[in-house]
Amino acid sequence: NMIVRTPFYCLNAQKDNAGETHLVDLTQTIPGMAARAAEQFGAHPALEEDGVTLSFAELYGEAQRSAKAFLAHGLEKGERFAVWSPNAREWVLAALGGMMAGGVLVPINTRFKGAEAGDIIRRSRARLLFTAKGFLGFDYPAMLEGEELPDLERTILLRGTEGETFAEFVQSGAAQSDEALSDRLATIGPDDLSDIIFTSGTTGRPKGAMTAHGQNVAAVTAWCKAVGVDDTDRYLIVNPFFHSFGYKAGWLACIITGACVLPHAVFDVDQILKRISDDRISVLPGPPTIFQSLINHPALAEADISNLKKTVTGAASVPVDLVKQMKEVLGFESVLTAYGLTESCGFVSLTDASDDFETIATTSGKAMAGVEVKLVDESGTKVEPGTPGEILVRGFNVMQGYLDDPDATAEAIDADGWLHTGDIGVQNSKGYLAITDRAKDMFITGGFNCYPAEIENALLRHELVVDAAVIGAPDERMGEVGHAFVVIKPGEA
């Protein structure tokens, strides 16, 4: 794996499945991919939501208008903007517009409360916040009341009307020239940060994983090639945009391949079945929970799911029978499982469409081209195939580091460039990786990482709770669910 870097140039020598070496151009950026999609796919539908359809040319035009508003606000290259909102058309336009202006995207989990979101906005020094009112009854701006946010200058509503709307924000950039935007775009290179996604650890305090344009474009492109996503596909994105799965393997994958983005904000089996039929959905990835729910739904037999073709799952243990049912009951032509983490742009390994049911269910596939994986014991010595060890990852997909945290970065990425994932796995002689345990204190419920320290801290804020310990307990539908042991004050019920 040879990587040659200069500030705006990066070629990665990768070997394909036939063992032939080829160079992958990593000079691309996310705005560059959007521009290329506008030229290559033009009038082809890029995004459909609530009766509104944007072609790839229109999507790029709307993103340009959004970018000019960022310029009008005075956002400088490298400054941060946050998005705290459910999946929506405006989410994509805000993210693309901010990146085209040279900004760095900071997605925020929609399940966060005000203190959690405020902590991320504060530590990322985000100057603008794009958010919503009314999603699942939440008023996100109101949840931030009382939070000290010294760098936040403007809050824009992607959905909702009581405040500055996204349309009003976009209109504020109308006086910006095309030349000003072109000049800014010319300064953005593959080594520049595209996003900072906060991910938690055993301490319970999230750390901001920083990744760059070039590595994200390369990783998503490789993933799309392996999965087979192309411009004939219609992709229902149920995975949240604040997560790598919904953002990078979601709408960014569509921009790179020409597939159509169909955002979906909340998983509801009845709605999903209707959308699969009405919107002719061909791509539907997600955690095993989604497919268990679809398979067990009483209305499945009457639903038209004939267009379903491609899916990727993972994030929890996958029963062999579920993989069989995903093909035989749901009709997917290709079912793959994968492994990745925020610190690796979301991508590490992937199974192959030709793999058998057991391989797909019990492993997370082989490392992607250009990515190395090795397993080590507690002393750091590489273990033999079939022996459990901590999973280490090295390649173009490894993050640039944690925001403002050199100590945590040095702990995560060693001097030889290996990312220590904290996950325990077993690798067979063919290179297939099975995740068996986690060195870090974490469990996964319905595809979401859950950190006991965070949950315990929340429980301990209750006036009656003296002590608390949280573990993951097996659950057929969710994979794992939280199980709390709580000690209350003496004499209290």
Side-chain angles (χ1 to χ4, degrees):
N1 187 42
M2 176 193 69
I3 296 181
V4 182
R5 293 182 187 271
T6 63
F8 295 102
Y9 189 71
C10 181
L11 286 179
N12 190 12
Q14 299 179 359
K15 288 188 177 182
D16 59 22
N17 292 333
E20 296 181 0
T21 300
H22 59 285
L23 293 178
V24 177
D25 184 1
L26 303 187
T27 60
Q28 302 164 84
T29 65
I30 292 173
M33 290 294 96
R36 191 200 68 164
E39 181 178 349
Q40 183 176 356
F41 304 113
H44 189 69
L47 194 153
E48 293 183 10
E49 184 189 33
D50 297 335
V52 176
T53 299
L54 295 177
S55 69
F56 278 92
E58 290 169 334
L59 178 68
Y60 188 65
E62 290 296 316
Q64 285 180 307
R65 294 178 61 212
S66 172
K68 288 180 177 180
F70 280 90
L71 295 182
H73 181 77
L75 188 80
E76 298 293 337
K77 179 184 171 183
E79 292 186 324
R80 292 73 182 259
F81 65 99
V83 182
W84 189 23
S85 172
N87 295 3
R89 176 178 67 255
E90 294 86 352
W91 206 113
V92 178
L93 294 174
L96 278 178
M99 290 185 195
M100 289 169 69
V104 179
L105 168 66
V106 181
I108 299 178
N109 192 326
T110 53
R111 297 187 175 195
F112 279 178
K113 304 306 180 189
E116 297 167 301
D119 178 58
I120 288 175
I121 294 168
R122 187 164 47 250
R123 286 198 283 137
S124 67
R125 300 184 295 280
R127 289 185 55 195
L128 298 101
L129 171 65
F130 296 85
T131 187
K133 288 186 178 183
F135 176 60
L136 297 180
F138 293 122
D139 182 339
Y140 290 117
M143 291 167 67
L144 289 172
E145 291 178 4
E147 291 292 318
E148 292 187 14
L149 306 171
D151 297 292
L152 185 64
E153 300 167 355
R154 197 167 179 178
T155 298
I156 300 99
L157 295 179
L158 297 181
R159 293 291 166 93
T161 56
E162 296 177 9
E164 181 181 5
T165 65
F166 184 66
E168 292 169 338
F169 170 76
V170 170
Q171 184 59 36
S172 71
Q176 293 290 311
S177 67
D178 292 340
E179 289 75 19
L181 180 56
S182 295
D183 289 345
R184 179 62 62 84
L185 283 167
T187 70
I188 305 168
D191 294 329
D192 290 319
L193 293 185
S194 55
D195 53 70
I196 304 171
I197 300 181
F198 281 77
T199 180
S200 295
T202 56
T203 62
R205 192 181 190 221
K207 299 183 290 290
M210 304 181 292
T211 60
H213 285 275
Q215 61 183 151
N216 279 311
V217 169
V220 174
T221 300
W223 184 87
C224 290
K225 182 178 180 181
V227 177
V229 179
D230 58 38
D231 60 358
T232 66
D233 282 316
R234 296 173 59 78
Y235 186 159
L236 185 65
I237 307 180
V238 180
N239 301 310
F241 287 175
F242 64 75
H243 191 280
S244 294
F245 208 169
Y247 155 31
K248 298 178 185 182
W251 61 261
L252 180 55
C254 294
I255 286 173
I256 287 174
T257 60
C260 183
V261 176
L262 292 101
H264 195 83
V266 182
F267 179 72
D268 177 274
V269 189
D270 294 307
Q271 292 179 15
I272 296 297
L273 281 175
K274 179 174 173 53
R275 293 203 67 181
I276 291 172
S277 173
D278 294 351
D279 295 327
R280 308 182 311 284
I281 300 301
S282 61
V283 181
L284 179 62
T289 307
I290 287 180
F291 307 108
Q292 290 275 22
S293 300
L294 288 171
I295 290 166
N296 294 325
H297 197 278
L300 179 65
E302 288 75 43
D304 179 5
I305 58 173
S306 59
N307 288 294
L308 288 178
K309 294 180 181 178
K310 305 159 190 175
T311 185
V312 179
T313 190
S317 58
V318 183
V320 177
D321 283 346
L322 176 60
V323 175
K324 291 180 66 175
Q325 289 179 313
M326 288 169 71
K327 282 199 169 190
E328 296 171 359
V329 178
L330 297 180
F332 283 108
E333 297 174 5
S334 173
V335 177
L336 305 180
T337 47
Y339 166 66
L341 58 161
T342 305
E343 291 89 342
S344 67
C345 297
F347 309 93
V348 171
S349 65
L350 194 68
T351 55
D352 187 82
S354 63
D355 291 329
D356 57 43
F357 289 142
E358 186 168 352
T359 299
I360 294 170
T362 60
T363 82
S364 297
K366 295 182 289 187
M368 295 167 57
V371 175
E372 297 176 84
V373 170
K374 73 174 180 179
L375 275 60
V376 300
D377 59 22
E378 291 182 358
S379 68
T381 303
K382 185 176 179 180
V383 300
E384 295 297 318
T387 304
E390 183 184 2
I391 300 167
L392 273 57
V393 177
R394 183 168 68 179
F396 67 87
N397 58 330
V398 173
M399 67 172 178
Q400 308 297 301
Y402 291 121
L403 176 67
D404 298 331
D405 200 337
D407 292 339
T409 299
E411 184 178 342
I413 305 173
D414 65 29
D416 294 321
W418 288 101
L419 171 66
H420 294 243
T421 68
D423 292 323
I424 306 299
V426 175
Q427 200 169 27
N428 66 21
S429 58
K430 295 181 180 179
Y432 280 79
L433 183 66
I435 315 301
T436 59
D437 200 357
R438 296 180 184 90
K440 53 191 176 186
D441 198 15
M442 183 187 81
F443 61 92
I444 298 177
T445 181
F448 288 92
N449 290 353
C450 296
Y451 299 89
E454 290 187 3
I455 303 168
E456 290 158 3
N457 288 339
L459 290 171
L460 290 169
R461 287 197 291 269
H462 193 287
E463 60 181 9
L464 298 183
V465 174
V466 174
D467 203 357
V470 174
I471 63 170
D475 183 83
E476 182 179 357
R477 190 176 77 88
M478 302 297 285
E480 295 173 286
V481 295
H483 189 99
F485 297 84
V486 179
V487 178
I488 61 172
K489 288 182 177 180
E492 300 289 350

